[in-house]
Amino acid sequence: MGFSQQRGVQRLGPNFIVRPNKGALDRSDDDGPDAAASRRRMIVVGATGMLGHRVADVARVHGWDVVEAPRVAFDITDLGSTTVWLEKASPAVVVNCAAYTNVDAAEEDEAAALRVNGEGAGNLAKATAALGARIIHVSTDYVFRGDATEPYAEDAPVDPQGAYGRTKLVGEQLVAEHNPDHLICRTSWLFGEGGGNFVDTMLRLAADRDEVSVVADQQGCPTWTGHLAPAIVAAAATDARGIAHLCGSGRTTWHGLAQETFALADTGTTALPVTTDAFPRPAPRPAWSVMASTRPDVPALPAWQDGLRGHLLAANRLKA
């Protein structure tokens, strides 16, 4: 059926798990696998990505029968192949971590982004609904206008300003339309092991620079995959439906995140604050990407600073 080989994981004690030969730790609020969940199958779409592989590892430790679906397994932009593949896999829940995430490229070719972020998400929703399976769909802060002064709640009006946000919003709408048993998890400013991200870029630049200019007029909620993945897995086992905001608690700027990274890693590098205008890009970046988690039935994530410490610890870069 094209299933990829499953990696083993090891439980170190209540709330801690680690992948073999990796220093990365995941945190979870659960003390152990749920008995019912251990008899259920979870398909992770986009399992080779920064978030997808983490979700698969955490779910496996918590008793799920996990099947990893990398990009080559099937084409989510084709409803027929998507339905056939999922029917053979017979999942209880599908977690969609697949996305067209190149924000600037999406601005130049919105149709390509729409095929994955919009139509692909809709196909997964249609297929899971036909199979009686639940779908967890990962979305983004870019669905908002980005000019607010208070955190966006789950029911805040959406108004994406760029192609990436528009295509992700279409995905949200199609998931909600085609599968009633859905949970749309919006997150933001993601970083973690196994994928390109802002924190690792800052560490790389700090290796040979004394100063780095970083945008200081965009506010958001940095989110570590080591916190997000356990929250998604926990939510998958519940009846929570609709939209949830899952992002690091608190807020900062890209400049603030860079400063904290340099301080914790003790790089000796200075982060110089600049405005967004100093780095013109094809796609607009929201000035305000702060989201609030207001639902008591969905896990709240720890502070973004804790996530940063966790990531640096896993990468053996934590000094402070």
Side-chain angles (χ1 to χ4, degrees):
M1 292 186 289
F3 297 166
S4 63
Q5 184 177 1
Q6 297 184 3
R7 295 183 293 270
V9 289
Q10 179 182 9
R11 175 171 290 277
L12 301 181
N15 303 333
F16 289 91
I17 62 173
V18 64
R19 293 169 53 203
N21 303 319
K22 296 286 184 179
L25 292 177
D26 287 329
R27 291 297 306 271
S28 170
D29 292 330
D30 293 339
D31 287 337
D34 179 81
S38 67
R39 298 189 297 270
R40 306 178 72 193
R41 171 166 288 177
M42 174 186 289
I43 307 298
V44 181
V45 181
T48 57
M50 182 171 64
L51 176 60
H53 85 265
R54 201 87 182 220
V55 170
D57 285 348
V58 173
R60 191 172 296 114
V61 164
H62 284 279
W64 288 88
D65 173 19
V66 178
V67 174
E68 301 179 11
R71 184 180 302 176
V72 297
F74 62 94
D75 181 4
I76 64 172
T77 67
D78 181 86
L79 178 58
S81 66
T82 298
T83 303
V84 169
W85 198 93
L86 291 182
E87 185 176 19
K88 291 179 180 178
S90 188
V93 61
V94 171
V95 179
N96 181 28
C97 298
Y100 187 112
T101 58
N102 189 323
V103 176
D104 290 326
E107 202 68 25
E108 299 171 357
D109 191 354
E110 187 166 350
L114 183 62
R115 284 193 292 272
V116 177
N117 295 341
E119 298 164 13
N123 288 338
L124 287 171
K126 292 175 184 177
T128 50
L131 298 171
R134 177 167 167 78
I135 184 169
I136 309 295
H137 176 67
V138 179
S139 192
T140 175
D141 55 294
Y142 273 68
V143 299
F144 296 111
R145 184 174 181 83
D147 61 354
T149 56
E150 296 293 332
Y152 290 108
E154 290 86 352
D155 60 352
V158 292
D159 186 15
Q161 297 300 293
Y164 172 67
R166 287 191 295 269
T167 62
K168 290 295 289 183
L169 180 58
V170 171
E172 288 190 8
Q173 294 168 336
L174 292 176
V175 166
E177 176 183 352
H178 293 296
N179 190 339
D181 192 3
H182 70 268
L183 183 67
I184 296 164
C185 299
R186 292 176 182 150
T187 191
S188 62
W189 292 25
L190 206 60
F191 62 91
E193 182 267 337
N197 62 82
F198 177 84
V199 173
D200 290 350
T201 297
M202 290 298 102
L203 291 173
R204 185 172 64 253
L205 293 176
D208 56 12
R209 299 189 189 184
D210 295 327
E211 296 179 343
V212 178
S213 297
V214 188
V215 171
D217 58 357
Q218 296 175 21
Q219 294 270 347
C221 305
T223 308
W224 181 39
T225 57
H227 285 155
L228 178 58
I232 288 175
V233 172
T238 72
D239 294 326
R241 297 181 179 183
I243 296 173
H245 287 173
L246 296 177
C247 51
S249 297
R251 69 175 187 260
T252 189
T253 63
W254 293 114
H255 175 259
L257 179 56
Q259 277 187 313
E260 188 74 1
T261 299
F262 295 152
L264 292 176
D266 193 22
T267 64
T269 309
T270 299
L272 301 177
V274 297
T275 65
T276 300
D277 294 340
F279 293 102
R281 306 291 291 273
R285 264 57 174 181
W288 184 265
S289 286
V290 183
M291 295 190 292
S293 178
T294 65
R295 296 184 55 163
D297 59 339
V298 174
L301 271 59
W304 67 266
Q305 296 94 330
D306 293 340
L308 179 58
R309 283 182 173 272
H311 178 62
L312 295 177
L313 177 64
N316 294 317
R317 294 300 304 269
L318 183 64
K319 302 295 184 181

